[in-house]
Amino acid sequence: MVSVIDATDLTDPSLPAGDRDGMQVRIHRGAREIGGSCVEVASGGSRIVLDVGKPLWAGWDEFVPLPEVPGLADGSDTGLAGVVISHPHLDHFGLIDQVHPKVPIVIGAEAQRMLAEAEFFSQAGAVIDADQFLADRVPVRLGAFTVTPFLADHSGYDSYSLLVEAGGRRLFYTGDFRGHGRKARLFEKLLGHPPAGIDVLLCEGTHVHPSGAADAAAAPVTHAARSEADVEESLTARMADTAGAVAVISSAQNIDRLVSVYRACRRAGRILVCDLYTASVVCAIGRATLPQPGFDGLRVYVPNAQRVRVKRSGQFDRMNLIRACRVFPEWLVEHAEKITLLQPQSAVAELEHAGVLAGGTVVWSLWPGYLEDAGGKRFQAGLAEAGVPFDVDHASGHASVRDLQRFAAALSPGVVVPIHTEGAHAYEGLFDRVAPHEDGEWWEV
Ligand SMILES: [Zn+2]
C-alpha cells in the first residue's frame, strides 16, 4: 500500500511512536532523470540517504547544491543516521563533498580506495572517509535501519543493490545494475534466490525508453543487451584482423572493461598497454586477480597529460608502481603490430603524431552518446583526416528492459517505483503494480 503523506508527519517528535512506524520515502532526484540519484528513507524518527549523486546535466565545474535533506549539509540532525553510496559513479556520489563530516558515510571499501586514487587524475575521484563499508550480503545497521548490500554487476566497480529494512517494511533499491557484465552470475544468483517479502522495488530504468511502453516492448531494447563477453569476443577478432596497433578508448575506472580488453589481448597474443591512471586505480583496489602492473603481457604508457600532472605535483613516487613495465613512444612504434593500447581519448592525438597508429585502428569503448557532441565529432573528424579507422565496441553498464522485467518478476514486489530513468511513465506497460512518484514527494511504503 503506497500513499502520499505530508512531510510534517515525519519530523514532528511529538507524534506517538506508533505513528512513526512503517517506512516513508522521498526521491529527491531521479524520478524523472538518469543520474543525480538521491533518495531519503525515514522510519521511527530515523532517516538515511541512498546516494548523493551529481546530475548528469551539470558541467564538471558547475556547483549543484545538496538536496534538502535536514542535517545533511550542516550535521545538525541526529536522526540522520547516514548516507549510503551504492557505487563509485559521479551521478551517485558526486555531491558527497558537501555532506557534513558528522554524517556517517557507508560505501564499498574497494570503491573508497579506487575513488581516493582517482582523485589525483580526475574530477571523477574523491576522498571519502567512510564509517562503515558495504560488503556482499553483510547487513549494516544505521539508526532504525538494516541495510543489506548485494554486490551487483555494473560498469562501476564495487557496486551494490541495497535491501533496506525498517518499521516492518522492506525496500529494495537496485542502484545501477545489469545482467550482462563480467559479474552476470551475481544477477542470476539474485534472480534465483531473491529476498522475500519486498514491499517496494525502487528500480533503475536507464534503458526504459521515454517513447512509451508499447514502443519499448516492440523495440530491440527488450532483446538481450550486448555483453562484456561479446566485447571481449569482437576485440579479440579485431586484434587478429588489424596489422598495426589497436587503441581502445575507455574509462580508467571501468574495471570490467579492463578485464575484457586484457583477456582479449591474451587470446590474440597481444600486449596490453594501459595508462598510469588505470594502472594506479587497479592497484589501489588491491585485488590480486585484476590485471595490473607485474602481470604477464601488461605494460604502461604514461600519456603527456598524466606525465605533466605528476611533474607539477612533485609526486614522482607515483611512477614507482610502473617502473618495471613502463614503455615509451619508440617502443610502441617498434611493437605496434603486437600491442593493444587502453588509453584515454586525450592520448590519441599524441599516439597518432608519434606514428604509433600507422596501420592501426581506434576503438571507442565508452557510451556512444559522447560522440554526438562537438568534441566527439571533432575527434572522429581528426581520425578520418589522419586515415585511422574508427569503430565503436561497447556494452552498456545498465540492464536491458528484458532483464529488468525478469528481475521484477523474480522479486515480485508490492509495487515497482521508477528511478534513474527518463521513461517512468513507460514502466506501467512493462511491469506489474507500478507506482511512479515525483521528486520531492514523500510516500508511504
Ligand atoms: Zn553507475
Side-chain angles (χ1 to χ4, degrees):
M1 172 64 195
V2 172
S3 60
V4 177
I5 55 170
D6 185 21
T8 54
D9 290 350
L10 304 169
T11 48
D12 185 356
S14 65
L15 285 173
D19 288 357
R20 284 182 272 124
D21 278 348
M23 185 188 285
Q24 300 80 35
V25 181
R26 65 172 161 176
I27 298 170
H28 284 277
R29 193 182 290 116
R32 298 270 172 188
E33 69 187 271
I34 295 168
S37 294
C38 183
V39 181
E40 185 178 4
V41 190
S43 182
S46 174
R47 292 174 296 117
I48 57 170
V49 172
L50 311 177
D51 289 333
V52 283
K54 188 170 183 183
L56 290 176
W57 46 257
W60 279 110
D61 296 317
E62 188 172 343
F63 175 78
V64 178
L66 280 175
E68 289 187 18
V69 177
L72 191 58
D74 60 14
S76 64
D77 192 331
T78 51
L80 183 58
V83 173
V84 185
I85 302 294
S86 65
H87 69 282
H89 274 161
L90 265 180
D91 64 325
H92 291 257
F93 80 84
L95 305 183
I96 195 86
D97 57 333
Q98 296 177 60
V99 173
H100 194 275
K102 266 195 189 162
V103 181
I105 296 174
V106 187
I107 185 174
E110 291 175 312
Q112 178 182 269
R113 289 200 292 273
M114 185 180 75
L115 287 178
E117 185 67 23
E119 214 215 10
F120 175 79
F121 296 95
S122 162
Q123 285 176 286
V127 173
I128 295 172
D129 185 13
D131 294 77
Q132 297 190 71
F133 293 111
L134 299 174
D136 190 29
R137 294 166 191 256
V138 179
V140 171
R141 288 300 307 242
L142 287 168
F145 296 88
T146 301
V147 178
T148 307
F150 291 82
L151 187 62
D153 183 23
H154 183 45
S155 51
Y157 196 72
D158 204 15
S159 296
Y160 296 89
S161 299
L162 304 170
L163 170 63
V164 178
E165 296 171 277
R169 303 288 189 274
R170 311 185 93 200
L171 174 145
F172 193 92
Y173 171 50
T174 61
D176 286 359
F177 74 158
R178 61 179 171 179
H180 57 262
R182 302 225 69 98
K183 293 187 281 292
R185 61 175 177 80
L186 294 175
F187 184 80
E188 298 301 332
K189 184 178 165 190
L190 199 52
L191 276 186
H193 302 279
I198 300 298
D199 297 299
V200 170
L201 171 60
L202 198 49
C203 188
E204 78 122 303
T206 310
H207 288 305
V208 175
H209 200 266
S211 65
D215 185 31
V221 73
T222 53
H223 298 161
R226 197 152 186 284
S227 70
E228 282 296 323
D230 293 335
V231 171
E232 179 187 326
E233 211 53 52
S234 53
L235 282 178
T236 306
R238 198 182 301 272
M239 289 180 207
D241 293 345
T242 304
V246 175
V248 180
I249 312 305
S250 180
S251 154
Q253 294 190 29
N254 187 341
I255 304 300
D256 264 26
R257 189 58 45 81
L258 167 68
V259 172
S260 297
V261 178
Y262 181 72
R263 287 172 59 102
C265 283
R266 300 305 282 169
R267 290 169 62 186
R270 288 200 179 222
I271 296 166
L272 172 63
V273 184
C274 71
D275 65 329
L276 181 63
Y277 180 9
T278 303
S280 300
V281 294
V282 79
C283 286
I285 287 170
R287 193 172 279 264
T289 49
L290 293 173
Q292 56 196 285
F295 266 46
D296 263 358
L298 192 146
R299 302 282 188 278
V300 178
Y301 167 69
V302 185
N304 287 334
Q306 294 176 13
R307 196 170 46 75
V308 168
R309 191 177 283 264
V310 170
K311 195 174 169 198
R312 289 208 177 125
S313 70
Q315 297 180 30
F316 297 105
D317 53 354
R318 289 190 167 275
M319 298 296 192
N320 294 343
L321 187 70
I322 60 163
R323 193 132 289 156
C325 59
R326 185 175 179 184
V327 292
F328 294 87
E330 311 73 52
W331 187 94
L332 297 175
V333 172
E334 201 180 314
H335 297 85
E337 81 286 357
K338 48 175 121 155
I339 60 172
T340 292
L341 297 134
L342 183 63
Q343 296 284 331
Q345 179 188 358
S346 57
V348 171
E350 72 199 59
L351 292 168
E352 202 273 314
H353 289 147
V356 179
L357 300 181
T361 190
V362 171
V363 180
W364 188 261
S365 207
L366 289 163
W367 181 54
Y370 294 132
L371 292 169
E372 307 285 323
D373 65 14
K377 292 204 165 95
R378 246 193 333 270
F379 177 66
Q380 292 173 82
L383 287 172
E385 200 175 309
V388 180
F390 177 77
D391 208 349
V392 176
D393 197 346
H394 185 54
S396 172
H398 301 274
S400 64
V401 170
R402 195 184 76 165
D403 278 344
L404 291 176
Q405 288 173 316
R406 289 172 64 216
F407 189 77
L411 247 69
S412 190
V415 292
V416 176
V417 176
I419 192 166
H420 203 275
T421 186
E422 291 178 348
H425 57 281
Y427 273 52
E428 271 183 14
L430 300 169
F431 307 99
D432 294 333
R433 300 182 298 281
V434 175
H437 290 283
E438 297 300 329
D439 283 350
E441 167 198 334
W442 277 111
W443 39 277
E444 184 80 34
V445 173

